[in-house]
Amino acid sequence: MKRKLVPYSPSPADAIKEGVGGNSGGPSPAPNLPRGTQLLRLRFPRFFSLSALPELPFRRLALCDFLSRHSPPHICSREEVQHCLTAPLIPGDDHISAGILKVFWEWDRQRIVQLVRACIRLGHHPELWKTAKGIVIPKPGKPDYSKVQAYRVICLLDVISKLVERMVGHLITDHLERKKGLHEGQYGCRKRRSCIDAVAVLMNRTQQAWGEKKIAGSLFMDVKSAFNNVNKALLGKRMEALELEPDLIRWMHNFMTD
């Protein structure tokens, strides 16, 4: 997935063309929804729209009906989704913060859970969620700030997009930990492991080598633009070899497609 940079705009989500049920006049009244959900729906119609979902024959179905049909509970639990929502997340182009999403969780958590499950079940990451807001930040200590290299760009994606991404990452990591599919020397992106542990292991092995009157050496590598250069076909085959769920593999391919 190549993330796109868009100009910063302080306005709320206003790119919605369709409301619930696929009509083009925006969200229609929904008296059967809780009061809090109705308020959020009017303020952030994009979150309740079918326009972010794939173009399939179910366009005329109400979003809640669609989600209930395509979100089997075995994919992930409500507790797992809630855990992924607890991490601090900065809002993207839709300006829906993690705090707003947490309030929505208290009012209508089933909708969020079903939405996450449906994305994974369909192997689909909405195109709308692949648009990032780019924030340019100067790198400290640079001698010349007239050069592009003196700045870095932070890409801010929608919170709901990052929630689905984290849920998929959790499912993949959990599967690999149970199947022992990760190398024992990998410390990144693993529970109960950190850079501190990697440094401790390096120091311990160095001291052992010195104790045996040997020379200790290490090689550090930095892969430039690693994400952009990932081969999707090879990654998919590797995920198949590790016996990951086909839904997760399809989602990966869609997530990495511009």
Side-chain angles (χ1 to χ4, degrees):
M1 178 185 70
K2 296 181 180 179
R3 297 175 179 179
K4 309 170 186 177
L5 300 184
V6 297
Y8 174 77
S9 172
S11 61
D14 56 359
I16 299 309
K17 297 180 181 179
E18 302 180 51
V20 172
N23 54 13
S24 57
S28 57
N32 57 321
L33 293 177
R35 175 61 178 168
T37 302
Q38 292 186 53
L39 293 175
L40 283 173
R41 182 165 175 258
L42 292 173
R43 184 70 176 88
F44 301 102
R46 172 166 160 179
F47 193 78
F48 294 83
S49 175
L50 278 172
S51 61
L53 297 171
E55 298 286 345
L56 292 175
F58 51 69
R59 298 285 297 179
R60 295 185 179 180
L61 294 176
L63 182 57
C64 56
D65 294 334
F66 163 73
L67 292 179
S68 64
R69 297 184 186 187
H70 296 273
S71 57
H74 72 271
I75 293 178
C76 58
S77 67
R78 177 182 298 180
E79 291 73 21
E80 288 175 314
V81 177
Q82 185 175 16
H83 176 73
C84 293
L85 187 59
T86 56
L89 299 171
I90 301 175
D93 190 46
D94 64 358
H95 299 273
I96 300 179
S97 66
I100 292 175
L101 201 57
K102 289 176 182 178
V103 172
F104 185 24
W105 175 270
E106 295 300 324
W107 283 335
D108 198 358
R109 64 190 63 186
Q110 187 62 20
R111 180 186 293 271
I112 299 178
V113 174
Q114 289 180 340
L115 182 60
V116 173
R117 289 173 179 170
C119 288
I120 299 173
R121 177 66 182 87
L122 294 172
H124 179 78
H125 198 77
E127 187 70 23
L128 196 65
W129 294 352
K130 297 179 184 180
T131 300
K133 180 173 67 177
I135 304 297
V136 180
I137 299 178
K139 298 178 182 178
K142 294 295 180 179
D144 186 1
Y145 284 97
S146 65
K147 296 182 179 180
V148 177
Q149 293 82 356
Y151 299 85
R152 66 165 53 93
V153 178
I154 297 178
C155 295
L156 303 179
L157 292 167
D158 294 351
V159 171
I160 185 64
S161 174
K162 288 181 281 190
L163 175 61
V164 176
E165 184 179 344
R166 290 192 177 197
M167 188 68 251
V168 172
H170 166 74
L171 295 175
I172 292 175
T173 302
D174 182 68
H175 173 87
L176 294 179
E177 292 288 359
R178 287 187 288 104
K179 297 290 185 178
K180 299 187 182 299
L182 298 174
H183 191 278
E184 283 301 316
Q186 179 175 334
Y187 290 87
C189 302
R190 298 185 69 177
K191 295 179 180 179
R192 295 178 291 276
R193 294 196 182 197
S194 66
C195 293
I196 297 177
D197 297 315
V199 172
V201 171
L202 177 61
M203 293 177 60
N204 180 262
R205 292 183 180 179
T206 301
Q207 291 175 350
Q208 287 181 352
W210 288 348
E212 298 173 3
K213 306 299 181 181
K214 296 180 180 179
I215 297 176
S218 59
L219 175 64
F220 297 89
M221 300 179 64
D222 182 19
V223 181
K224 184 178 181 181
S225 301
F227 182 88
N228 293 333
N229 293 307
V230 170
N231 187 307
K232 291 187 295 183
L234 293 179
L235 179 58
K237 291 181 180 179
R238 181 57 181 158
M239 294 176 72
E240 291 177 0
L242 292 170
E243 300 179 348
L244 282 159
E245 291 290 337
D247 292 344
L248 295 175
I249 299 176
R250 287 199 308 273
W251 183 91
M252 178 276 298
H253 279 288
N254 186 271
F255 178 74
M256 297 183 66
T257 300
D258 189 8

